[in-house]
């Protein structure tokens, strides 16, 4: 279910100050569509957890407007339709994982029989059957997180908000958790994940927002955010005498000049007929997206006797995008 404008989350101008000194959120707008996995990314201290807490009214925002599941922020009946795994969630050590899930079901006023049924279903979903009847006190981080995800789903929420669900979890556990998130999405839920593990989110998120210093600096699908930087990457056989930057520039007919790339790495770069070329050691980036557009470049390089090891279409990774956004956003 969603609001009249079709959004599950539509936040406007969320601001949060902790005391006088900390300006944790500086006016955040955020839109999340139904049925998607949405990733909120940002370095430590960017304000991700604070935003989630404001959205779920765990902390009181200094200023905020907008809707969650079609109702104004803080609407109690609507909050009952949201599942939440807080960051660093800790559960009573003397309870078993199963009892934790049942306990949260009881908190959501579910009948006892339904709590038991739901707990079993969710223990299976998160793959916790082997240890569900052991006490949480003896759980590893990954086991705790899986039970944490199960408890967030017990009330059959329309929106599931998970704050760093893979925090402290090993690579196998992280892969399993990714699969659980996709299974939740398949059940028609909207999933909102906070994380700083970019490669991970890249694999599962339909849309992402990048947050830096209390502001969202980029928001969209990964494709939308990377469209301007799509290119073909040609790896040249630089060990051969025939290959040298001067020779390549001559073959392409492009004046290549030294430039400082992002992060201070020097590159040779030039432009011809609206196409930018960048040479990073033996790697030539040709800033075109269509296969036909790169063919004449391949012909010119080969005609000059330069051996090509590989040609591949590329787009920047979420990590590159993030580093760029963090650099730009960090200046403010
Ligand atoms: P992390 O990935 O490290 O959890 P985050 O992006 O979730 O970071 P927040 O935890 O929201 O960031 O913190 C944002 C800013 O607000 C930080 O500067 C933090 O120190 C500050 N902050 C968070 N909670 C409080 C609090 N209760 N009192 C004072 N300052 C706080």
């Amino acid at each position: 279910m969603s609001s009249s404008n079709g959004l599950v989350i539509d936040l406007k101008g969320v601001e949060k100050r902790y005391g006088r000194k900390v300006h944790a959120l500086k006016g955040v707008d955020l839109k999340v569509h139904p049925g998607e996995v949405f990733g909120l990314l940002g370095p430590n201290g960017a304000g991700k957890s604070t935003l989630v807490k404001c959205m779920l009214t765990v902390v009181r925002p200094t200023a905020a407007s907008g809707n969650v599941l079609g109702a104004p922020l803080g609407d109690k009946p609507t909050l009952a339709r949201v599942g939440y795994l807080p960051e660093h969630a800790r559960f009573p050590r003397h309870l078993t994982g199963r009892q934790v899930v049942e306990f949260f079901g009881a908190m959501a006023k579910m009948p006892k029989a339904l709590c038991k049924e739901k707990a079993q279903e969710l223990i299976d979903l998160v793959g916790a059957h082997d240890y569900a009847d052991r006490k949480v006190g003896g759980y590893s981080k990954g086991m705790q997180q899986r039970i944490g995800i199960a408890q967030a789903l017990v009330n059959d929420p329309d929106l599931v908000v998970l704050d760093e669900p893979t925090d402290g979890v090993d690579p196998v556990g992280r892969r399993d958790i990714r699969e659980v998130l996709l299974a939740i999405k398949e059940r028609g839920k909207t999933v909102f994940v906070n994380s700083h593990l970019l490669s991970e989110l890249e694999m599962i998120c339909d849309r992402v927002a990048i947050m830096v210093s209390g502001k969202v600096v980029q928001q969209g699908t990964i494709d939308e955010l990377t469209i301007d930087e799509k290119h073909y990457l040609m790896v040249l056989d630089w060990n051969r005498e025939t290959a040298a930057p001067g020779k390549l520039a001559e073959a392409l007919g492009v004046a290549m000049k030294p430039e400082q790339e992002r992060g201070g790495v020097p590159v040779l770069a030039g432009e011809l007929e609206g196409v930018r070329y960048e040479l990073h050691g033996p790697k030539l980036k040709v800033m075109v997206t269509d296969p036909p557009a790169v063919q004449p470049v391949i012909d010119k390089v080969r005609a000059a006797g330069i051996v090509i090891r590989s040609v591949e279409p590329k787009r920047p990774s979420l990590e590159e995008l993030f580093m760029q956004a963090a650099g730009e956003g960090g200046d403010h």
Side-chain angles (χ1 to χ4, degrees):
M1 262 181 268
S2 57
S3 66
S4 53
N5 62 7
L7 297 169
V8 170
I9 299 174
D10 185 11
L11 300 179
K12 292 183 189 120
V14 183
E15 191 159 340
K16 176 67 186 173
R17 289 179 185 270
Y18 291 107
R20 289 196 178 174
K21 291 210 175 124
V22 183
H23 199 178
L25 299 176
K26 300 170 184 164
V28 172
D29 297 352
L30 205 71
K31 293 186 192 314
V32 178
H33 300 264
E36 70 183 7
V37 178
F38 184 92
L40 181 61
L41 319 173
N44 293 131
K48 305 179 298 294
S49 297
T50 300
L51 182 65
V52 162
K53 288 178 193 162
C54 286
M55 182 167 86
L56 304 180
T57 59
V58 177
V59 300
R60 190 190 291 269
T62 309
S65 64
N67 295 300
V68 173
L69 292 166
L73 277 182
D75 179 63
K76 286 245 163 62
T78 303
L79 287 174
R81 291 168 47 210
V82 180
Y84 177 38
L85 172 68
E87 75 174 336
H88 315 306
R90 289 285 172 275
F91 304 111
R93 297 172 61 83
H94 62 281
L95 296 183
T96 65
R98 184 185 303 277
Q99 287 168 333
V100 167
V101 182
E102 289 175 1
F103 172 76
F104 279 92
M107 297 258 282
K109 301 196 172 72
M110 288 163 57
K112 202 169 178 183
L114 184 60
C115 286
K116 284 192 179 300
E117 190 187 313
K118 258 299 187 192
Q120 184 59 55
E121 178 196 324
L122 294 171
I123 284 164
D124 290 341
L125 177 75
V126 301
H129 19 257
D130 289 349
Y131 48 86
D133 295 308
R134 276 165 40 198
K135 287 190 174 154
V136 168
Y139 279 12
S140 71
K141 194 71 208 274
M143 295 171 175
Q144 285 185 44
Q145 289 296 81
R146 285 181 207 222
I147 289 298
I149 295 171
Q151 69 71 30
L153 292 170
V154 74
N155 56 337
D156 203 18
D158 295 316
L159 168 64
V160 189
V161 179
L162 306 169
D163 198 343
E164 301 281 2
T166 55
D167 183 27
V169 179
D170 67 31
V172 175
R174 290 211 297 267
R175 188 200 55 205
D176 291 350
I177 289 178
R178 279 201 304 273
E179 278 166 15
V180 171
L181 299 193
L182 292 174
I184 302 172
K185 174 184 157 165
E186 267 166 34
R187 292 174 168 211
K189 319 277 183 201
T190 305
V191 184
F192 184 107
V193 196
N194 266 5
S195 183
H196 55 263
L197 293 172
L198 306 172
S199 53
E200 186 145 299
L201 290 185
E202 190 156 21
M203 291 184 237
I204 56 164
C205 287
D206 299 298
R207 292 172 67 252
V208 296
I210 301 181
M211 191 168 199
V212 182
S213 307
K215 283 183 290 189
V216 168
V217 293
Q218 297 218 36
Q219 187 167 180
T221 64
I222 295 173
D223 243 17
E224 280 164 4
L225 299 186
T226 54
I227 188 87
D228 292 344
E229 307 247 357
K230 276 190 177 167
H231 60 270
Y232 271 87
L233 186 70
M234 196 179 287
V235 181
L236 308 171
D237 193 346
W238 224 227
N239 296 323
R240 308 208 174 193
E241 281 174 9
T242 48
K247 182 159 179 133
L248 179 74
E250 193 185 320
L252 297 174
V254 183
M256 304 277 263
K257 299 204 179 88
E259 271 185 22
Q260 288 287 100
E261 204 208 11
R262 258 180 253 119
V265 184
V267 292
L268 283 172
E271 205 171 304
L272 181 70
E273 289 160 3
V275 177
R276 183 176 157 84
Y277 297 82
E278 285 179 14
L279 190 61
H280 307 240
K283 292 179 183 168
L284 177 69
K285 267 191 188 180
V286 186
M287 307 310 271
V288 293
T289 49
D290 292 337
V294 79
Q295 306 305 317
V297 183
I298 297 172
D299 292 345
K300 285 181 195 170
V301 173
R302 294 196 60 223
I306 299 172
V307 174
I308 300 171
R309 282 181 181 269
S310 63
V311 186
E312 250 188 300
K314 292 267 189 194
R315 67 162 198 210
S317 66
L318 199 50
E319 181 167 344
E320 284 169 301
L321 205 66
F322 178 82
M323 296 308 278
Q324 185 186 343
E328 286 163 7
D331 296 335
H332 301 284

